[in-house]
Amino acid sequence: MKTSSKKFIIEKEKEWEPAGEGVVRQIMGYDGQLMLVKVKFIKGAQGTPHTHYHTQTTYVASGKFEFTVDGEKRIVETGDGIYIAPDAEHGCTCLEAGILIDCFSPMRADFLDKK
């Protein structure tokens, strides 16, 4: 049996899941190879530093964030992107409330297990 999401994921029909203090997420589509996740932060919320074996790329849909990736710190804002190699330690602090769009390959099975 193939693991995958529904074909259409409608924001107003999907609940936000807790993802840390001041952070919520919506899984917006996935199969075994890929996962798209929308993550909403309030000002001051933290994406705790962590690592995982997935390749990740993140798009800043809104807001402003201070990101640290593999020891390098940068401020990113609406329209910017971040590439995170497998096993690179990364985290962020939200400087202005906003939304990040995360794409993972392969999918984050651990996100589905928490449901």
Side-chain angles (χ1 to χ4, degrees), residues 40-112:
K40 187 188 314 184
F41 288 76
I42 64 169
K43 183 178 180 178
Q46 304 243 334
T48 305
H50 63 284
T51 63
H52 47 72
Y53 69 89
H54 312 82
T55 298
Q56 176 179 342
T57 186
T58 296
Y59 173 73
V60 184
S62 64
K64 185 184 258 185
F65 298 82
E66 182 180 76
F67 258 85
T68 303
V69 179
D70 236 4
E72 183 177 349
K73 191 177 286 192
R74 291 288 302 263
I75 293 178
V76 294
E77 55 193 334
T78 304
D80 294 339
I82 303 107
Y83 166 74
I84 302 164
D87 301 313
E89 185 174 70
H90 58 285
C92 69
T93 299
C94 181
L95 303 176
E96 293 175 8
I99 293 177
L100 300 176
I101 307 297
D102 291 336
C103 185
F104 300 99
S105 179
M107 69 172 242
R108 294 285 306 260
D110 56 321
F111 283 9
L112 300 177

